[in-house]
Amino acid sequence: MTEWITAPGLTDYREATAFMEARAAAIAEGRAGELVWLVEHPPLYTAGTSAKAADLLEARFPVHETGRGGQYTYHGPGQRVVYVMLDLNRRGRDVRAFVKALESWVIDALAEFNLKGEIRDGRVGVWIARPDKAPLFDGTMREDKIAAIGVKLRKWVSFHGIAINVEPDLSHYAGIVPCGISGHGVTSLVDMGLPVGMGDLDDALRRSFARNFPPLAG
């Protein structure tokens, strides 16, 4: 059975990365089981393997280069970061299917709050349509990102994962072009008018996990 741990307080990013790498190695070697680790970080920016220097507009917070996929993103208080250390050797060595399952997991959890999360071709993550906002210059509907996804695999064990905005300070995103996407914005559960706390989201994630990541046999 996949283990779940909720870290208290704010977790240092470098310590989190070191922990994930050690746990992923242990899983690959059969010394430990799968883990879903729920954390919050102090304000910081991370640069994925596709990050472009021009997308760091202002280094308001510490910037960490990381080996996960994706570009620049923000982590901070009020955002649930879900580090997912799963054994894809036993779940199928299919990166696309794994990312799709992560997206589906987030969408299922958001649906518990009657919020419709959607995915878009060419834009990793989960998005919320915003017909209440002025459309983009070309007339298309504006959309806000509510969850970012960036993963890394080593020996077919995953680490890093997803970040879902519950009630972060959305102004902190102004220092970067989030995930390299201009025009669209970012939102959170509370920004959408939902009185949802971190524990509420955690419960929803637990309930919807097995639908997207069935328990391993044996």
Side-chain angles (χ1 to χ4, degrees):
M1 180 174 292
T2 303
E3 181 183 4
W4 287 66
I5 297 176
T6 302
L10 301 179
T11 301
D12 178 80
Y13 189 78
R14 288 190 179 90
E15 292 178 5
T17 300
F19 176 86
M20 283 190 289
E21 290 182 347
R23 181 64 177 242
I27 293 170
E29 295 165 8
R31 296 184 289 105
E34 296 184 322
L35 173 65
V36 175
W37 189 28
L38 307 175
V39 310
E40 283 181 84
H41 288 304
L44 58 92
Y45 297 131
T46 63
T49 54
S50 302
K52 301 174 183 177
D55 288 342
L56 179 61
L57 306 178
E58 180 185 354
R60 299 183 178 186
F61 308 112
V63 179
H64 297 270
E65 293 190 3
T66 178
R68 62 156 175 81
Q71 303 186 41
Y72 278 103
T73 194
Y74 165 78
H75 295 315
Q79 180 192 74
R80 174 54 83 208
V81 178
V82 187
Y83 289 133
V84 185
M85 287 151 269
L86 300 182
D87 188 356
L88 300 195
N89 289 291
R90 301 177 65 191
R91 292 185 176 275
R93 295 184 175 187
D94 188 330
V95 178
R96 288 182 181 273
F98 176 57
V99 172
K100 185 176 181 180
L102 289 173
E103 292 172 334
S104 178
W105 180 26
V106 174
I107 289 169
D108 284 353
L110 294 177
E112 293 204 13
F113 308 108
N114 295 315
L115 189 61
K116 185 180 181 182
E118 300 178 282
I119 57 175
R120 293 288 181 264
D121 289 339
R123 286 196 262 138
V124 177
V126 178
W127 298 80
I128 305 295
R130 299 303 302 266
D132 54 314
K133 290 188 173 182
L136 296 176
F137 68 92
D138 61 358
T140 58
M141 183 184 298
R142 192 176 297 273
E143 298 172 340
D144 286 345
K145 193 170 195 176
I146 196 166
I149 296 176
V151 297
K152 184 174 182 179
L153 300 178
R154 184 173 295 160
K155 296 183 178 179
W156 289 101
V157 175
S158 68
F159 54 113
H160 295 280
I162 61 182
I164 306 172
N165 290 338
V166 178
E167 192 179 9
D169 185 338
L170 297 178
S171 71
H172 289 178
Y173 280 90
I176 59 172
V177 177
C179 301
I181 298 168
S182 300
H184 297 290
V186 289
T187 190
S188 69
L189 286 158
V190 172
D191 182 55
M192 293 299 299
L194 299 169
V196 177
M198 198 68 71
D200 299 318
L201 175 62
D202 292 349
D203 290 343
L205 288 167
R206 283 178 177 269
R207 285 190 292 265
S208 55
F209 180 76
R211 291 200 297 272
N212 298 283
F213 299 98
L216 294 171

